[in-house]
Amino acid sequence: MSKSSNDSSVPTRLIHDTCLCLHTQRAARALARRFDEAFRPLGLTSGQFSLLNAMNRETPRSMGEVAAILAMDRTTLTANLKPLERQGLMKITVDAQDRRSRKLILTAAGKKLLRAAAPVWKRTHAALEREAAAAMSGIDIPNLRAGLRAIA
Amino acid sequence: MSKSSNDSSVPTRLIHDTCLCLHTQRAARALARRFDEAFRPLGLTSGQFSLLNAMNRETPRSMGEVAAILAMDRTTLTANLKPLERQGLMKITVDAQDRRSRKLILTAAGKKLLRAAAPVWKRTHAALEREAAAAMSGIDIPNLRAGLRAIA
DNA sequence: CGTAAATATATTGATATCAACTCTTTTGGC
DNA sequence: GCCAAAAGAGTTGATATCAATATATTTACG
């Protein structure tokens, strides 16, 4: 006889221990909280920091380009831009070459905030790498990044 | 003179390429979409699947325990339980030993849904691992999981 | 040229996420 | 036993996420 409560061919325990989706969500939540806290004095979240970064270039990107870079749904990007635009950190302009497309442009305030956030990021990321090394001896951070890219 | 637009000591490009927070968020979004799609015929999201899994045990867990397992804020868990409870997949009971605490208990419907979802998970995860191997030759999935645990 | 298909984005509705705050219950010091 | 501190959970408000759907613009075909 099999056990009464867990007779599935794929036990709960195996799924919990194995699932890359769960492991990635767990890490994503933990890292978001950590960077959110670090950026809080600047009135910025971790996601907003990544988003501003993706827009910080000479040649403005379109919504679709930024959404692809962040592996984010286009409609999520539309929503995420609203608070940034409201705070005057960036603006959305119609692309003159293709009037369906939008160019996402950082304002001076947005660039200034990014400059202020950069050392916070550097400090926080360095601490994260130190702790990761302590938690997992011989952790290979570049390899971890490559693995994350492979599953994204 | 330094360049006019990017004179920060930490260039945007370096942050974009390096940031583990961004890489993890990207992967988390992509995997959530993928598993959400696979579970859709069952009316389940990837997060709900992980949550039901965390509650599937003989000895019920409390909210705090489940939140810790998922690296999730306690208040997020409260919110996430609402649709599951409404759909009759689980119920929340007061712990008789400690009336502050809640025991999270899967219903028969919840267990049945989990059993139906298990093969979907198995299939989807196997496909993910295949594609990850194709994207990154020599990818070490157990090592990737360990790295995710180290940063969570 | 004109229209159907494709492309780029926006809106709506549901769930997810967390900080700040509140409420209830338990624990510890006395 | 009493009361302050601690612990567990719920509520509110803001942002994040995506599917389904809608709108505007461009492209392609005839």
Side-chain angles (χ1 to χ4, degrees):
Chain A
M1 292 301 184
S2 59
K3 284 187 62 184
S4 61
S5 69
N6 278 323
D7 54 6
S8 160
S9 62
V10 186
T12 286
R13 176 63 189 273
L14 171 67
I15 294 175
H16 173 79
D17 290 346
T18 307
C19 187
L20 278 174
C21 187
L22 171 58
H23 278 81
T24 307
Q25 304 297 331
R26 275 179 47 87
R29 282 189 287 259
L31 290 186
R33 274 196 299 272
R34 179 172 194 150
F35 280 84
D36 283 355
E37 185 185 356
F39 288 131
R40 190 162 306 133
L42 298 170
L44 210 55
T45 67
S46 60
Q48 291 172 339
F49 174 74
S50 294
L51 178 46
L52 288 177
N53 247 302
M55 296 188 290
N56 187 29
R57 44 199 331 269
E58 303 282 344
T59 309
R61 288 190 166 114
S62 69
M63 306 231 6
E65 288 170 339
V66 171
I69 286 171
L70 302 179
M72 177 186 287
D73 192 277
R74 282 179 170 86
T75 70
T76 302
L77 178 57
T78 298
N80 290 1
L81 289 177
K82 293 203 167 165
L84 300 180
E85 188 179 27
R86 175 158 33 81
Q87 293 166 47
L89 300 174
M90 55 81 57
K91 57 186 179 185
I92 306 175
T93 67
V94 173
D95 184 341
Q97 268 65 53
D98 183 343
R99 295 173 51 76
R100 293 170 302 182
S101 181
R102 305 287 181 267
K103 290 299 187 187
L104 306 182
I105 304 172
L106 281 192
T107 62
K111 290 180 186 174
K112 182 179 176 186
L113 182 55
L114 258 189
R115 279 194 298 273
V120 175
W121 173 83
K122 188 177 182 180
R123 194 160 59 231
T124 306
H125 204 276
L128 168 65
E129 294 195 29
R130 277 195 303 275
E131 289 179 29
M136 178 186 171
S137 69
I139 189 171
D140 183 342
I141 304 272
N143 192 60
L144 175 57
R145 270 192 289 268
L148 287 169
R149 260 189 240 107
I151 61 178
Chain B
M1 293 301 182
S2 61
K3 283 187 60 184
S4 60
S5 68
N6 278 323
D7 53 7
S8 160
S9 62
V10 186
T12 287
R13 176 62 190 273
L14 171 67
I15 294 175
H16 174 79
D17 290 346
T18 306
C19 187
L20 278 174
C21 187
L22 171 59
H23 278 81
T24 308
Q25 304 296 332
R26 275 178 46 88
R29 283 189 287 258
L31 289 187
R33 275 195 299 272
R34 180 172 193 150
F35 281 83
D36 282 356
E37 184 184 358
F39 288 130
R40 190 163 306 132
L42 298 170
L44 210 56
T45 67
S46 60
Q48 291 172 338
F49 174 73
S50 294
L51 177 46
L52 289 176
N53 247 301
M55 296 187 289
N56 188 29
R57 39 198 333 268
E58 303 282 345
T59 310
R61 289 190 165 113
S62 68
M63 308 232 5
E65 288 169 339
V66 171
I69 286 172
L70 302 179
M72 176 186 286
D73 191 277
R74 282 178 171 88
T75 69
T76 302
L77 178 56
T78 298
N80 290 2
L81 289 177
K82 293 203 168 167
L84 299 181
E85 189 179 27
R86 175 158 32 80
Q87 293 166 46
L89 300 173
M90 55 81 56
K91 56 186 179 183
I92 306 176
T93 67
V94 173
D95 183 342
Q97 268 64 53
D98 184 343
R99 296 173 52 75
R100 293 170 302 181
S101 181
R102 303 287 182 266
K103 292 298 189 188
L104 306 181
I105 304 171
L106 281 193
T107 62
K111 291 180 186 173
K112 182 179 176 187
L113 184 54
L114 258 189
R115 278 194 298 274
V120 175
W121 173 82
K122 187 177 182 181
R123 195 161 59 232
T124 306
H125 204 275
L128 168 64
E129 293 194 30
R130 277 196 303 275
E131 289 179 29
M136 177 186 171
S137 68
I139 190 172
D140 182 342
I141 303 271
N143 192 59
L144 175 57
R145 270 192 289 267
L148 288 169
R149 260 189 240 107
I151 61 177

